[in-house]
Amino acid sequence: MEDRSGGSDETSEAPAERRTAARPPKRGNPEKLAADRALYARLRQRDFTGWEMDLLREDLWLYGWKCLSAWTKDGTIIEKCGERDIVVPNRWFEVETLRRRSDLRDEVVHTAVESAVRTFTEGYLRSGRWNPNRGATMRTFFLGTCMYAFRDAFRHWSGSYRRNLFSAAHPLVQAELYSLNGHGFGAYEDTTVFQETIRRIMENAGPEVRAICGCIWETKMTHKEIGDELGISSRAVEGHMRRLRARAKLMVAKGEIEALCGRTSAPKAGAR
């Protein structure tokens, strides 16, 4: 992934820096700061090369991986970033997906930590942006770099994830369902009513619900198969469809739509 964290950090951190300018910075562990100061001096003498630099990269990598993995797994990563005024645009089901799916979680965290280590060791150390005399230990400053990198990695991943959801929903929201060609409907009037009814029911449905409905209509997938495809649990799929059916029944009760019956009822997904 393109390393964007260096440029975006400047802009994102400026408000926080202005807010904290009036009070002294929070001091880190004095012993750790002293050790960081000595290490920094040795690294500068060696132009940030050599075995100590290699060990530092490894230490930062493991530390960043441990923190981001834990926070992403327990679902607190957005809150942790927010505590540092790092806004991670997200939808609840995306955070839940990363919490449940270790493969996707590892992919995002790996991208973030890789970017953060590169940004910190090749940029911030050499430029003096991290300075031990400012009070933050190397690890503390680096963890902030990890959070900015996570924001960028999450944004990249979620954009792809949302596109996949809309792609899965495409059979429903485009012509396949609404045209109803080859599905054996009767009179033109019945088809028109069905089209309008489906349009009204799906009018305010989110991308995840549309994707689920698209999978059900086109492939007759089970709840578990749909969940595996979209990165959510079968229980979540069942919950989405239960709420959609409840919405449809309420609209029928209010006279907003006509009840679908017989062949014009949408096919149901299999059991979990």
Side-chain angles (χ1 to χ4, degrees):
M1 186 186 78
E2 180 182 354
D3 182 18
R4 296 168 291 164
S5 54
S8 59
D9 285 1
E10 295 287 354
T11 302
S12 302
E13 285 186 331
E17 290 173 354
R18 288 197 294 269
R19 286 195 296 272
T20 58
R23 62 179 184 271
K26 183 178 179 181
R27 304 297 297 183
N29 183 297
E31 294 182 359
K32 181 59 179 174
L33 279 171
D36 284 352
R37 189 177 292 110
L39 173 60
Y40 183 61
R42 294 195 302 272
L43 292 175
R44 288 189 63 183
Q45 289 179 348
R46 296 179 175 86
D47 194 27
F48 301 98
T49 60
W51 65 271
E52 283 194 299
M53 192 66 191
D54 293 338
L55 286 180
L56 176 61
R57 289 192 181 94
E58 182 178 349
D59 177 72
L60 293 177
W61 176 277
L62 294 175
Y63 181 65
W65 177 270
K66 177 181 177 181
C67 293
L68 292 189
S69 293
W71 295 341
T72 308
K73 185 176 181 179
D74 66 18
T76 61
I77 181 64
I78 306 302
E79 178 182 353
K80 295 289 186 181
C81 290
E83 291 173 356
R84 296 203 182 200
D85 298 312
I86 302 171
V87 179
V88 181
N90 71 97
R91 297 174 180 174
W92 71 267
F93 62 83
E94 294 166 347
V95 177
E96 180 67 10
T97 295
L98 290 186
R99 193 183 72 81
R100 293 177 178 275
R101 292 277 300 274
S102 61
D103 57 332
L104 298 179
R105 181 171 65 247
D106 289 350
E107 176 185 340
V108 175
V109 172
H110 184 281
T111 300
V113 176
E114 183 179 59
S115 174
V117 170
R118 182 172 60 250
T119 298
F120 185 80
T121 58
E122 297 179 10
Y124 297 167
L125 281 182
R126 292 176 178 273
S127 68
R129 180 167 177 176
W130 173 78
N131 187 326
N133 297 321
R134 294 177 182 174
T137 65
M138 196 177 294
R139 277 190 169 191
T140 297
F141 192 96
F142 172 70
L143 194 55
T145 307
C146 284
M147 292 180 181
Y148 280 104
F150 177 85
R151 177 198 61 189
D152 292 343
F154 182 91
R155 181 183 295 157
H156 182 270
W157 170 81
S158 63
S160 175
Y161 179 70
R162 293 172 193 178
R163 286 192 297 272
N164 288 338
L165 283 179
F166 280 106
S167 177
H170 184 80
L172 180 68
V173 297
Q174 297 297 326
E176 284 86 345
L177 181 57
Y178 293 154
S179 67
L180 311 175
N181 291 332
H183 286 292
F185 288 91
Y188 171 80
E189 292 79 5
D190 293 337
T191 300
T192 303
V193 170
F194 180 83
Q195 291 174 324
E196 178 61 17
T197 299
I198 294 298
R199 187 192 68 78
R200 294 287 302 279
I201 292 173
M202 301 301 297
E203 194 169 30
N204 296 315
E208 202 161 46
V209 173
R210 289 172 176 261
I212 291 169
C213 290
C215 290
I216 292 173
W217 181 265
E218 287 297 313
T219 65
K220 314 300 186 296
M221 297 168 68
T222 66
H223 287 167
K224 185 179 185 309
E225 291 169 340
I226 294 172
D228 292 342
E229 178 71 19
L230 302 181
I232 59 178
S233 67
S234 59
R235 188 177 296 276
V237 174
E238 183 179 2
H240 279 303
M241 296 311 297
R242 182 173 61 252
R243 287 187 290 273
L244 186 65
R245 288 192 295 269
R247 167 177 160 77
K249 289 179 180 179
L250 182 61
M251 294 175 72
V252 171
K254 290 182 177 180
E256 297 177 1
I257 61 174
E258 292 191 30
L260 298 176
C261 59
R263 179 61 186 86
T264 54
S265 298
K268 297 181 180 179
R272 288 183 290 148

